[in-house]
Amino acid sequence: MMHLLSGVDVEKARILCYRGPAPPVPEGYGDTQKVLHSQQGYTHLSLLKRKRRILTWPERVLDAPAVRNDFYLNPLDWSVDNVVCVALGHAGTYLWDAETGNVTQHMKMEGRYYPSSLSWVPTRGNILAIGTSFNTVQIWDVERNKCLRSMQGHMGRVSSLSWNGHLLSRQVLKRTHTLVVVVNTVVVCYLYSTVSVSREPTTQALAWCPWQASLLASGGGANDHHIRLWNVNTGICFKAVDAVSQVCSVLWSSEHKELLSAHGYPRNQLALWAYPEMVPIAELLGHTGRVLQVAASPDGSSVMSLGADESLRLWRCFQEDKSRKKKQQQLEGANTGRLSQNCLR
């Protein structure tokens, strides 16, 4: 039709064609497309097939003044009762109730000391463990605002805490950058003798997969940049991807087969990766300083990030896909109907 109407050769037809080279990009022009790095180089997010709609902007931004820009600390955690605790340097710890939006100061430390790590008991939303820069671990009843116990014995600040039932694991970083993990005063070395999680002296970003017990994710620091996936039963790293920046924190989704990573320079972004391919499917931008830590909400739908830019950002990046849930329910209903018919026969 084009040939009959205009006499144009269809094989040579073009919407736009330069006779010479394309004009140069104007000075000061910025690429408006969001770009993530992958092992193959630059990958435009628009070229990646997303399995669901992902919200890539923060729903809420809160101030976090005086937060310490320290890669080795863990100053954020989200309780089962939907309360976020954040450590703000010498100002102490603060609580944000995600239901009401109320902010209260929990405790304040004297002098040059500061809280260096936080961890809520997974099954009890009122019990909080706080690691300190003066080498102690404090157990608090937040509802009564009472310190139940203060445990001594460490030779350095307590940079990380983790609960396993009633057992508390404490990670201590000394000035010599040696790493010691203690559970009820017994030194445990099984993980580090089985899995060498990084070439660096320490690994800050670690996350156990909630739906596969043997799967561990680790993130390397400024000299490594890699996210690695480990089978802890065999000690084998079966996947490694270059994130092209410092990996400050990693977090598995409990709702989707996805991993969230938090980064430093140059983009200070949160990146969402599809598992098991480990290809980037979304990038969450907004922080102007490196993202120190991320924590997931009790229902697994949201993530709170704490940045060195002294801000907390709430992301609904793991919200349940309602359309997928509806299809699954319809499928389950259809299968139930077929099963009932077979039983009647």
Side-chain angles (χ1 to χ4, degrees):
M1 184 179 293
M2 183 184 294
H3 178 73
L4 293 175
L5 293 177
S6 60
V8 175
D9 187 348
V10 178
E11 298 296 329
K12 298 180 180 180
R14 298 288 186 274
I15 296 175
L16 179 63
C17 179
Y18 291 107
R19 294 183 178 179
V25 177
E27 184 178 356
Y29 172 80
D31 186 3
T32 57
Q33 287 192 338
K34 297 177 181 179
V35 177
L36 277 180
H37 297 282
S38 71
Q39 287 178 304
Q40 290 74 32
Y42 293 97
T43 303
H44 286 270
L45 296 180
S46 58
L47 301 180
L48 296 171
K49 184 179 179 180
R50 292 183 178 178
K51 299 179 181 179
R52 62 187 179 86
R53 181 171 177 263
I54 301 171
L55 299 179
T56 58
W57 58 89
E59 180 181 280
R60 191 163 184 174
V61 180
L62 304 171
D63 291 332
V67 65
R68 295 182 66 87
N69 184 8
D70 193 323
F71 175 74
Y72 295 103
L73 304 187
N74 288 270
L76 179 70
D77 201 17
W78 202 328
S79 79
V80 69
D81 286 348
N82 213 11
V83 176
V84 174
C85 185
V86 59
L88 300 179
H90 302 297
T93 55
Y94 283 76
L95 305 175
W96 177 68
D97 191 320
E99 295 291 339
T100 64
N102 294 333
V103 177
T104 57
Q105 185 177 27
H106 168 238
M107 56 90 77
K108 185 178 181 180
M109 292 189 173
E110 301 296 332
R112 57 188 178 88
Y113 299 115
Y114 55 87
S116 50
S117 55
L118 304 169
S119 183
W120 293 97
V121 173
T123 56
R124 296 181 62 185
N126 65 312
I127 303 299
L128 174 68
I130 301 178
T132 71
S133 63
F134 54 91
N135 315 340
T136 64
V137 176
Q138 298 177 356
I139 308 298
W140 284 80
D141 184 330
V142 174
E143 290 183 357
R144 297 160 56 192
N145 197 28
K146 181 179 180 180
C147 182
L148 303 177
R149 186 178 179 186
S150 183
M151 295 178 285
Q152 311 288 333
H154 289 302
M155 301 300 292
R157 66 181 184 181
V158 183
S159 60
S160 181
L161 295 165
S162 181
W163 289 93
N164 181 14
H166 65 284
L167 299 178
L168 179 64
S169 299
R170 294 166 279 169
Q171 183 177 354
V172 184
L173 186 65
K174 299 181 181 180
R175 292 183 180 179
T176 56
H177 284 193
T178 57
L179 186 64
V180 179
V181 179
V182 180
V183 180
N184 283 4
T185 71
V186 178
V187 177
V188 179
C189 302
Y190 65 92
L191 178 59
Y192 295 94
S193 62
T194 304
V195 179
S196 177
V197 293
S198 176
R199 295 178 182 178
E200 296 186 318
T202 58
T203 297
Q204 164 67 4
L206 289 172
W208 292 100
C209 180
W211 29 265
Q212 188 171 332
S214 61
L215 178 56
L216 177 69
S218 68
N223 297 325
D224 182 68
H225 294 174
H226 280 74
I227 298 173
R228 292 181 171 86
L229 303 182
W230 304 85
N231 183 331
V232 296
N233 292 336
T234 63
I236 295 175
C237 172
F238 63 90
K239 195 77 172 181
V241 58
D242 188 355
V244 197
S245 63
Q246 181 185 53
V247 185
C248 303
S249 185
V250 287
L251 176 69
W252 290 100
S253 170
S254 59
E255 297 292 325
H256 311 279
K257 296 295 179 66
E258 296 167 1
L259 177 72
L260 183 72
S261 57
H263 299 272
Y265 178 84
R267 296 177 66 79
N268 305 312
Q269 84 280 19
L270 283 80
L272 200 57
W273 307 81
Y275 177 84
E277 300 88 353
M278 287 303 291
V279 294
I281 56 175
E283 188 175 55
L284 284 58
L285 296 173
H287 282 291
T288 57
R290 63 177 171 183
V291 185
L292 300 171
Q293 195 178 1
V294 291
S297 62
D299 62 3
S301 66
S302 305
V303 170
M304 182 71 82
S305 62
L306 174 62
D309 56 0
E310 298 187 335
S311 74
L312 286 159
R313 296 173 187 266
L314 178 65
W315 314 84
R316 302 287 187 186
C317 57
F318 286 145
Q319 277 189 324
E320 189 175 21
D321 193 328
K322 295 182 179 179
S323 61
R324 187 182 69 172
K325 183 178 181 181
K326 185 177 181 180
K327 290 180 181 178
Q328 184 177 358
Q329 290 175 343
Q330 291 174 347
L331 180 62
E332 290 175 352
N335 291 337
T336 303
R338 295 192 192 100
L339 181 60
S340 300
Q341 291 176 2
N342 292 334
C343 292
L344 290 174
R345 292 176 185 173

